[in-house]
Amino acid sequence: MSAETFVKGKTIELRKKHIGPSCKIFFSHDPIKIVKAKGQYMYDEKGRRYLDCINNVAHVGHCHPDVVKAGAQQMELLNTNSRFLHDNLVLYAQRLQATLPDKLSVCYFVNSGSEANDLALRLAWQYSGHKDVITLENAYHGHVSSLIAISPYKFIQLSDTEQIQSVHVIAAFIAESLQSCGGQVIPPPGYFQQVAQHVRQAGGVFIADEVQVGFGRVGTHFWAFQLQGEDFVPDIVTMGKPIGNGHPMSCVVTTKEVAESFMASGIEYFNTFGGNPVSCAIGMAVLDVLEKEDLQGNALRVGRYLTGLLEEQKEKHPLVGDIRCQGLFAGVELVKDRLKLTPATAEAQEVIYRLKEQCILLSADGPHRNVLKLKPPMCFTKEDADLLVGKLDHILTELEEALGLKFHNALSVENESSKRKPTDENGRQHLGGLAHGGGSSQEDPQIAKRIRS
Amino acid sequence: MSAETFVKGKTIELRKKHIGPSCKIFFSHDPIKIVKAKGQYMYDEKGRRYLDCINNVAHVGHCHPDVVKAGAQQMELLNTNSRFLHDNLVLYAQRLQATLPDKLSVCYFVNSGSEANDLALRLAWQYSGHKDVITLENAYHGHVSSLIAISPYKFIQLSDTEQIQSVHVIAAFIAESLQSCGGQVIPPPGYFQQVAQHVRQAGGVFIADEVQVGFGRVGTHFWAFQLQGEDFVPDIVTMGKPIGNGHPMSCVVTTKEVAESFMASGIEYFNTFGGNPVSCAIGMAVLDVLEKEDLQGNALRVGRYLTGLLEEQKEKHPLVGDIRCQGLFAGVELVKDRLKLTPATAEAQEVIYRLKEQCILLSADGPHRNVLKLKPPMCFTKEDADLLVGKLDHILTELEEALGLKFHNALSVENESSKRKPTDENGRQHLGGLAHGGGSSQEDPQIAKRIRS
């Protein structure tokens, strides 16, 4: 294909030489070379089509022509910083504001979810006059240094949550409205209201991180924090990944009070690329497509359909410990034992590799990397869901046979998993053998040889 | 014009309502609405053409057709993250590497100069095992929280540089290869070598921040750190602003040793948008245009010509205290007294506002905001330089007449300013009247009424 400059082996060689080794690649033992994409499909250098179930950045579909056109037209006309007046900037801010509670009226445009969350912390520090932050176990909020410090997913598995609760003067509570990297965890309705009450009493602010889950993905609402009820309004909302369908941009929205307090610090906030006319044109095109193609409605309908299919899988397969779905944001937790909730980490990796061989792209996440993560582009269809779940069914059946896993072992604890707390504190990796005799997958040679980093 | 949705007043009103008040605008009392740009020119909603002398982001010229085309074509084809193999990523890394010393071979692609400098700190911390950082007085390295802490320009004016020198266990020394926001300060050749020796002896690394000054701007070299001599190689180089001609992208390049040490921390580095095929295509197009149009050569030739014109201004105008030029990176320091080097802050603002009225865009920077900053797109011509300096000459003449400033006051200390240390420690604002009787400009009603925030 003309889009390929090097043969794949050469691309791998050059990548090893010139790209930081900390930058991991999918399927590192046999990575995929993608040369084009459209809608929910990606194509490799040989023209093989993959169903993309993981790319929540290509929100309205890869290379959506309306978004591409908006970006290209504005790039031709003007791309400059926000120190000049431009209608795209204020139009887009107005459009975003219309999706949010009235109180959240002030925008800061930045370039990535990490920049957004870092700025959210600066706003909170200034407003509260304090520096301490409460974060959730297994949380991930970004890659800049201030965020690594509040991202146990990256930094450290906090063993003692009491330590955090003992902090009594705080600047902020930060949480994803639905926890993504932490394992697709959905907080119970009303939880954020209670947290916000405590945080505000202590002088802090509530930061809702919508970087992974915003922009209609949850189906019933445009923002995931709205699942908590109409009465819940965060003090700061951060946005990212899907906002520009792949274009590097993001946004922080806050209240007038917080914005004015930040202003009072006397330090100007300038972001070279943030809020440039091209980014704003692209952001507006994404909102237009979401509306025009009713993609939030699609997320609701296809999400419900997919949930139904996955629930059937849970009935059928002992490996499936829990299904956590909200629109087109779905997690399938694989366990080796439904009673002990032993994470089936190696099995999750196996599923992902086998699906890849069937041209379906998926990833595993959560503290034990045993939660299959589904966050496809929002144009995902019922047929795509059928295809995915059909293949998954087949793979799970084969795996369970190889492991000697039978359903009656788990039958008695049906629904047990749904009673767990979202912090998933039982999910420690049990390295010993399992009661039902299959042995841990790490010890199973058939699976072990397929496990890749 | 069709590019305008709102009348200017409405744009201002919406901006006040929806954009964070900490985000400042140029010429806040009468901001400019720019609707299109081409080459070194920007156009307002009435079609008025401005000569852009400040936009070092639109590096190869605003909306360069080759860059726009490369971006639009790749946006149509594929825009996804670097977890898949893609030739643009490795090709671009290879191209960038070719401009650098061999040792600097490993790239991390990110979205902004701030992300780049934050990652540089993380690399340094991991490699050195320490956290302390040496930064220069008046330095500015970015807007994320870790960088505010090392940016006295933003955070605090360090009054006692001895404090810093007393730190004996350090992770890194970070400096712009030419200090930009700090007042267009050019370090003497050999200075970085000596600093690097001390820093490395203490176990630290040398970070060269090329975010503002890289990519051929200095004319004689592609990178500003190369002005220090062929023998100088930083451990980490950070890039930004001009890299994508306005597209949000940036890069950190380091040695194999530093990259491997970062890898050994076990923490993956993932950046959602960093190194995507569109950014890389745009980055390559910028390098292509630089080569094809010999813009580094143009920076050298036009830079020298501009320097000559500015030196003549220094001969002619007592307000001009110092000229610091390197290619198309030029600083004109305005002083009210060449002996005392009293910063002419209000006068610099006046010059900038008057030039704006003449459709020439310029800014003032440095700790006292008295250094006129010239960093135009690299396609800036000798005719543009003539136009700018002609207008500047006229404005300075008028200003000096109004202030009663005469040249003989300063003649005796000609060249005195060139002997100063780059830290500019004499440049304190003198609020009292001047020896030559003009009074400080803050007290001059003619000028005071024109001074805007």
Side-chain angles (χ1 to χ4, degrees):
Chain A
M1 269 182 99
S2 65
E4 199 188 21
T5 309
F6 301 118
V7 296
K8 190 168 167 177
K10 181 73 179 171
T11 308
I12 294 173
E13 183 197 319
L14 284 171
R15 183 171 167 124
K16 278 190 185 141
K17 191 170 169 194
H18 289 307
I19 304 299
S22 306
C23 305
K24 298 257 176 80
I25 197 159
F26 279 135
F27 312 110
S28 57
H29 286 71
D30 182 22
I32 306 175
K33 186 168 184 177
I34 295 294
V35 299
K36 69 171 186 172
K38 204 85 201 161
Q40 62 273 49
Y41 305 109
M42 302 183 94
Y43 300 83
D44 72 11
E45 81 284 6
K46 299 202 191 307
R48 274 218 323 178
R49 192 181 87 168
Y50 292 82
L51 175 63
D52 180 0
C53 302
I54 46 173
N55 205 323
N56 60 333
V57 174
H59 194 57
V60 299
H62 286 280
C63 305
H64 194 291
D66 293 6
V67 179
V68 172
K69 193 177 159 197
Q73 282 183 346
Q74 187 58 53
M75 275 169 70
E76 252 177 59
L77 199 60
L78 175 68
N79 189 7
T80 192
N81 66 50
S82 60
R83 289 196 196 273
F84 300 101
L85 291 172
H86 199 280
D87 288 338
N88 284 6
L89 179 72
V90 297
L91 257 175
Y92 183 49
Q94 208 179 24
R95 290 280 301 273
L96 269 185
Q97 209 284 309
T99 68
L100 287 160
D102 287 347
K103 268 194 74 179
L104 293 165
S105 62
V106 185
C107 302
Y108 300 83
F109 290 101
V110 296
N111 307 301
S112 65
S114 290
E115 281 194 3
N117 281 334
D118 182 86
L119 176 58
L121 290 184
R122 288 184 60 201
L123 289 166
W125 293 336
Q126 179 65 28
Y127 183 71
S128 67
H130 299 296
K131 278 269 185 178
D132 301 279
V133 175
I134 296 183
T135 183
L136 292 179
E137 198 170 10
N138 305 315
Y140 176 60
H141 296 292
H143 56 72
V144 302
S145 49
S146 62
L147 303 174
I148 299 287
I150 61 157
S151 296
Y153 174 80
K154 280 282 168 188
F155 187 48
I156 193 167
Q157 299 286 340
L158 291 178
S159 56
D160 184 6
T161 52
E162 299 313 307
Q163 267 187 334
I164 297 176
Q165 286 163 14
S166 74
V167 175
H168 37 251
V169 180
I170 56 162
F173 173 88
I174 182 165
E176 284 189 278
S177 299
L178 298 175
Q179 204 173 23
S180 180
C181 291
Q184 314 285 102
V185 180
I186 302 169
Y191 171 64
F192 283 177
Q193 281 90 330
Q194 285 185 35
V195 169
Q197 201 187 335
H198 290 295
V199 170
R200 286 170 186 152
Q201 266 170 11
V205 299
F206 191 108
I207 304 170
D209 177 343
E210 294 270 344
V211 169
Q212 299 236 26
V213 294
F215 290 91
R217 176 164 296 280
V218 299
T220 48
H221 300 81
F222 198 78
W223 301 106
F225 73 79
Q226 293 168 328
L227 291 168
Q228 295 279 315
E230 295 265 313
D231 59 325
F232 176 64
V233 182
D235 301 293
I236 300 174
V237 175
T238 58
M239 304 166 184
K241 297 184 190 287
I243 189 171
N245 217 46
H247 186 79
M249 59 184 286
S250 59
C251 185
V252 179
V253 188
T254 189
T255 63
K256 227 178 136 188
E257 291 72 31
V258 172
E260 278 168 2
S261 153
F262 191 58
M263 174 68 180
S265 73
I267 299 181
E268 180 195 355
Y269 184 78
F270 177 61
N271 189 307
T272 302
F273 307 126
N276 71 68
V278 175
S279 297
C280 292
I282 286 174
M284 280 191 280
V286 168
L287 294 178
D288 286 340
V289 174
L290 279 169
E291 255 178 60
K292 210 170 72 181
E293 302 184 3
D294 184 26
L295 292 179
Q296 184 182 322
N298 187 65
L300 184 64
R301 287 184 297 273
V302 177
R304 279 189 181 152
Y305 181 78
L306 176 65
T307 307
L309 296 181
L310 291 173
E311 288 292 352
E312 283 170 26
Q313 294 297 301
K314 189 180 160 193
E315 299 289 316
K316 194 171 164 187
H317 295 289
L319 264 173
V320 178
D322 196 16
I323 301 291
R324 294 189 287 272
C325 293
Q326 199 77 54
L328 282 174
F329 176 84
V332 179
E333 181 171 345
L334 299 189
V335 296
K336 287 190 283 191
D337 183 323
R338 284 202 191 171
L339 187 60
K340 294 179 180 165
L341 296 169
T342 324
T345 303
E347 289 76 5
Q349 286 302 309
E350 175 70 11
V351 168
I352 281 167
Y353 261 90
R354 287 210 199 170
L355 280 172
K356 176 222 173 195
E357 284 163 14
Q358 308 273 328
C359 290
I360 292 179
L361 301 176
L362 209 64
S363 69
D365 219 322
H368 306 288
R369 305 291 186 278
N370 65 322
V371 182
L372 304 179
K373 226 162 95 158
L374 281 111
K375 300 183 296 184
M378 298 274 282
C379 50
F380 203 72
T381 64
K382 288 183 182 174
E383 291 69 33
D384 295 327
D386 284 331
L387 179 73
L388 163 69
V389 179
K391 305 262 190 205
L392 182 65
D393 184 15
H394 187 73
I395 292 167
L396 289 174
T397 303
E398 281 192 358
L399 260 180
E400 285 163 355
E401 274 171 20
L403 291 165
L405 255 188
K406 283 180 196 134
F407 192 62
H408 60 82
N409 289 324
L411 195 59
S412 58
V413 291
E414 187 60 71
N415 293 324
E416 191 61 26
S417 57
S418 61
K419 291 176 197 155
R420 281 175 309 135
K421 294 187 217 158
T423 46
D424 196 9
E425 77 281 12
N426 295 322
R428 296 186 304 279
Q429 183 105 23
H430 288 236
L431 290 170
L434 294 179
H436 49 265
S440 94
S441 67
Q442 283 86 341
E443 295 156 23
D444 183 302
Q446 273 192 298
I447 293 183
K449 72 177 166 50
R450 301 177 63 94
I451 308 305
R452 287 93 168 178
S453 70
Chain B
M1 269 183 99
S2 65
E4 201 188 18
T5 309
F6 302 118
V7 295
K8 191 168 168 178
K10 181 74 180 169
T11 309
I12 294 173
E13 182 197 320
L14 284 171
R15 184 172 166 121
K16 277 190 186 142
K17 191 171 169 195
H18 289 308
I19 304 298
S22 307
C23 304
K24 298 256 176 79
I25 196 157
F26 280 135
F27 311 109
S28 56
H29 287 71
D30 182 21
I32 307 174
K33 186 169 184 177
I34 295 294
V35 299
K36 68 171 187 171
K38 204 82 199 163
Q40 62 274 49
Y41 304 108
M42 301 182 95
Y43 300 83
D44 72 9
E45 80 285 6
K46 302 203 189 304
R48 263 195 5 153
R49 192 182 87 168
Y50 292 83
L51 176 62
D52 180 0
C53 302
I54 45 171
N55 206 322
N56 60 335
V57 173
H59 194 57
V60 299
H62 285 279
C63 305
H64 194 290
D66 293 6
V67 178
V68 171
K69 192 176 160 196
Q73 282 183 347
Q74 187 60 52
M75 274 169 73
E76 252 176 59
L77 199 61
L78 174 69
N79 188 8
T80 192
N81 66 51
S82 62
R83 290 197 194 272
F84 299 101
L85 292 171
H86 198 281
D87 287 340
N88 284 7
L89 178 72
V90 298
L91 257 173
Y92 183 49
Q94 207 179 27
R95 289 281 299 274
L96 270 184
Q97 208 285 309
T99 68
L100 287 160
D102 287 346
K103 269 195 73 179
L104 293 165
S105 61
V106 185
C107 303
Y108 299 83
F109 290 102
V110 296
N111 307 303
S112 66
S114 290
E115 282 195 1
N117 281 335
D118 181 87
L119 177 58
L121 289 184
R122 288 184 59 201
L123 289 165
W125 292 336
Q126 179 64 27
Y127 183 72
S128 68
H130 299 297
K131 279 268 185 176
D132 300 280
V133 175
I134 296 183
T135 183
L136 292 180
E137 198 170 9
N138 305 317
Y140 176 59
H141 296 292
H143 57 72
V144 302
S145 48
S146 63
L147 303 174
I148 299 286
I150 61 159
S151 296
Y153 173 78
K154 280 282 168 188
F155 187 49
I156 192 166
Q157 299 284 340
L158 291 177
S159 56
D160 183 6
T161 53
E162 300 310 308
Q163 269 187 331
I164 297 175
Q165 287 163 14
S166 73
V167 175
H168 37 253
V169 181
I170 57 160
F173 172 88
I174 182 166
E176 284 190 279
S177 299
L178 299 175
Q179 204 172 24
S180 180
C181 291
Q184 315 285 100
V185 180
I186 302 169
Y191 171 64
F192 282 177
Q193 281 91 329
Q194 284 184 36
V195 169
Q197 201 187 335
H198 290 293
V199 171
R200 286 172 185 151
Q201 267 170 10
V205 300
F206 191 107
I207 304 170
D209 178 341
E210 293 269 345
V211 169
Q212 300 235 28
V213 294
F215 291 90
R217 176 163 296 279
V218 298
T220 49
H221 299 81
F222 198 78
W223 301 106
F225 73 79
Q226 294 169 328
L227 291 168
Q228 294 279 315
E230 296 264 313
D231 59 326
F232 177 65
V233 182
D235 301 292
I236 300 174
V237 175
T238 58
M239 304 167 184
K241 296 183 190 290
I243 189 171
N245 216 45
H247 185 79
M249 59 185 286
S250 60
C251 186
V252 179
V253 188
T254 188
T255 63
K256 227 178 136 189
E257 291 71 31
V258 172
E260 279 168 2
S261 154
F262 192 56
M263 174 68 180
S265 72
I267 298 180
E268 180 195 356
Y269 183 78
F270 177 62
N271 188 307
T272 302
F273 307 126
N276 71 68
V278 174
S279 298
C280 292
I282 286 173
M284 280 191 282
V286 169
L287 294 178
D288 285 341
V289 173
L290 279 169
E291 256 179 59
K292 210 170 73 182
E293 302 183 3
D294 184 26
L295 292 179
Q296 185 182 323
N298 187 65
L300 183 65
R301 288 184 297 273
V302 178
R304 279 189 181 151
Y305 181 77
L306 176 66
T307 307
L309 296 181
L310 291 173
E311 290 291 352
E312 283 169 25
Q313 293 297 302
K314 189 179 161 192
E315 300 290 317
K316 193 171 165 188
H317 295 287
L319 263 174
V320 178
D322 195 17
I323 302 289
R324 295 188 286 274
C325 293
Q326 199 78 52
L328 280 174
F329 175 85
V332 180
E333 183 170 344
L334 300 189
V335 296
K336 288 189 283 190
D337 183 322
R338 283 202 192 172
L339 187 59
K340 295 179 181 165
L341 296 167
T342 324
T345 303
E347 290 75 5
Q349 287 301 310
E350 175 70 9
V351 168
I352 281 168
Y353 263 88
R354 288 211 199 168
L355 279 172
K356 177 220 172 196
E357 283 162 12
Q358 308 274 327
C359 291
I360 294 179
L361 301 176
L362 210 64
S363 69
D365 219 323
H368 306 288
R369 306 288 184 280
N370 66 323
V371 182
L372 304 178
K373 226 162 92 157
L374 282 112
K375 300 182 297 182
M378 298 273 283
C379 50
F380 203 74
T381 63
K382 288 182 182 175
E383 291 69 32
D384 295 327
D386 284 331
L387 179 73
L388 163 70
V389 179
K391 304 262 189 205
L392 182 65
D393 185 14
H394 187 73
I395 293 166
L396 289 174
T397 304
E398 281 192 358
L399 260 180
E400 285 162 356
E401 274 172 20
L403 290 165
L405 256 185
K406 283 182 195 131
F407 191 63
H408 61 81
N409 288 323
L411 197 58
S412 58
V413 291
E414 187 60 72
N415 292 324
E416 191 61 26
S417 58
S418 60
K419 291 176 195 156
R420 281 177 306 137
K421 294 187 215 159
T423 46
D424 196 9
E425 76 283 13
N426 295 325
R428 295 186 304 278
Q429 183 104 22
H430 289 238
L431 290 170
L434 294 177
H436 48 266
S440 94
S441 66
Q442 283 86 340
E443 295 155 24
D444 185 303
Q446 271 193 298
I447 292 185
K449 73 176 166 51
R450 300 178 64 94
I451 306 308
R452 287 93 168 179
S453 68

